[in-house]
Amino acid sequence: MENHANQGTPELRRAARLSVAPMMDWTDRHCRYFHRLISTETLLFTEMVTAPALVRGGALHLLDYSPEEHPVALQLGGSDPAELRQAARMGAEAGYDEVNLNVGCPSDRVQSGCFGAILMTRPELVAECVSEMQAECRAEVTVKCRIGVDDQTPEDVLPDFIETVAAAGVTRFTIHARKAWLEGLSPKENRDIPPLDYPLVHRMKAAYPHLHISINGGIATLDDAFPHLEQGLDGVMIGRAAYHQPYDILGAADARIYGKGAGPTRTEVVHQMLPYIEAHLTAGGRLNQITRHMLGLFAGQPGARQWRRYLSENAHATGAGPETVLAALAQIPEAA
């Protein structure tokens, strides 16, 4: 199998020290723009975009993003090598810094389409897919996977999976440190019920020191993230916590993870969002398409509940705009 690997830039690998996980219905372009204002350094991911939607469905709007979002990665779902090759090329042409193949999503829809976590059982097919993706893709091609599925023994299958896919040219993996149970657990249950096995992911880094390995799953704070980095992993990916408490994670990330100066305050982030909101409304969009991602900005702060409630009750109204956001901000006693 010919190796077409694009190893990625040092800047991209540095950004991948902390990333926000791809999350369906959550990490859309509005969410990513908002997150980028809080952290200039963190690697951001799209929601999973299926290769058939791009190649057969012509849904090119799924590739839309703002230039300010860089560094940003496109996550693809699929299992047809030729289709993924086309989709990866489209993503690279759109300017994404990285194209990631989903080998971890446990939903029924994913199983029926033979992509996502079910591909853990077919490492040779994954290798063929990523080889094709690299053939015409200027962006780095990476893989996000689980430690195994169903009755697989992770200690056995994960090294075989990594070796097979790495032989096709992939040098960067994000490993969700849980099995996916495709029989008997819902997608939601798969995020919490299978036990975490962090030590296995650390053993994979020790076994394959030349690979860039990030860990994902159950990491809710930067304090949780640091031990993984200090023990040798190359990156940490945080999902739901980065969405529900974005400032707690991303607001401190630039200083603590990347050694940069302090970023904007929560209040400054709100004001910096206003021109983006105005442009979205002018283009025919609705306020709540953006503000639904901002509800957790003041999590843990005085007035957080009032902020959430005001936006939840008013952002969907006809004519709601920046003044609605400022009225919500006024609910914060000492916005900071």
Side-chain angles (χ1 to χ4, degrees):
M1 191 177 293
E2 189 176 355
N3 186 336
H4 300 282
N6 177 341
Q7 303 296 324
T9 65
E11 293 80 12
L12 184 59
R13 293 187 163 230
R14 180 175 175 276
R17 283 181 63 75
L18 182 69
S19 55
V20 178
M23 292 175 281
M24 295 297 290
D25 300 320
W26 287 6
T27 52
D28 65 16
R29 61 179 303 184
H30 306 311
C31 175
R32 298 192 305 267
Y33 187 92
F34 168 58
H35 284 175
R36 179 57 71 218
L37 289 180
I38 305 174
S39 167
T40 63
E41 304 297 313
T42 308
L43 178 60
L44 303 179
F45 276 78
T46 68
E47 305 169 84
M48 182 182 68
V49 177
T50 68
L54 293 176
V55 176
R56 284 184 258 156
L60 297 182
H61 67 278
L62 297 175
L63 297 177
D64 290 346
Y65 68 95
S66 300
E68 292 85 354
E69 292 172 36
H70 289 293
V72 60
L74 167 67
Q75 188 183 64
L76 293 176
S79 61
D80 180 281
E83 205 162 56
L84 281 165
R85 176 178 179 145
Q86 293 182 64
R89 185 185 70 239
M90 294 160 77
E93 288 175 348
Y96 282 94
D97 301 290
E98 171 185 339
V99 179
N100 177 268
L101 179 62
N102 182 320
V103 190
C105 182
S107 80
D108 296 337
R109 187 162 61 88
V110 165
Q111 288 184 62
S112 64
C114 190
F115 55 89
I118 191 69
L119 289 174
M120 291 297 299
T121 65
R122 303 184 66 184
E124 293 81 9
L125 176 58
V126 175
E128 185 180 354
C129 288
V130 297
S131 183
E132 287 295 315
M133 290 167 70
Q134 289 167 149
E136 294 185 32
C137 180
R138 296 185 303 274
E140 182 175 10
V141 174
T142 65
V143 167
K144 184 174 188 290
C145 65
R146 293 274 182 147
I147 60 173
V149 295
D150 295 335
D151 293 323
Q152 288 184 324
T153 302
E155 195 78 49
D156 297 331
V157 302
L158 186 58
D160 177 63
F161 178 86
I162 290 173
E163 288 176 14
T164 303
V165 177
V170 171
T171 61
R172 186 143 62 85
F173 293 81
T174 299
I175 304 173
H176 186 151
R178 305 180 200 269
K179 269 189 180 183
W181 285 95
L182 305 181
E183 301 290 337
L185 291 183
S186 70
K188 182 176 186 297
E189 290 169 331
N190 262 298
R191 292 196 292 267
D192 296 304
I193 291 178
L196 288 158
D197 190 348
Y198 293 151
L200 176 59
V201 180
H202 284 268
R203 289 196 294 276
M204 293 303 97
K205 177 60 185 177
Y208 308 106
H210 60 291
L211 298 177
H212 185 292
I213 294 180
S214 296
I215 194 167
N216 171 229
I219 300 164
T221 67
L222 288 185
D223 287 339
D224 292 342
F226 267 102
H228 295 293
L229 296 172
E230 290 166 351
Q231 293 168 38
L233 286 177
D234 300 293
V236 175
M237 177 180 278
I238 301 181
R240 284 166 289 165
Y243 186 85
H244 292 303
Q245 297 98 36
Y247 198 85
D248 290 346
I249 305 293
L250 301 176
D254 288 5
R256 294 188 63 189
I257 302 288
Y258 303 97
K260 296 280 188 174
T265 65
R266 292 176 172 87
T267 299
E268 287 169 344
V269 170
V270 174
H271 284 283
Q272 290 172 14
M273 281 297 294
L274 297 180
Y276 181 85
I277 287 170
E278 191 66 65
H280 178 65
L281 298 176
T282 300
R286 300 189 309 278
L287 178 62
N288 65 335
Q289 291 172 319
I290 295 176
T291 55
R292 71 187 185 96
H293 302 301
M294 300 172 62
L295 297 179
L297 178 60
F298 291 94
Q301 303 298 303
R305 183 175 301 174
Q306 292 87 339
W307 157 266
R308 288 179 61 93
R309 179 184 299 136
Y310 192 93
L311 285 179
S312 298
E313 292 176 354
N314 295 284
H316 66 280
T318 302
E323 70 288 342
T324 306
V325 179
L326 292 174
L329 185 61
Q331 309 296 309
I332 304 294
E334 293 184 24

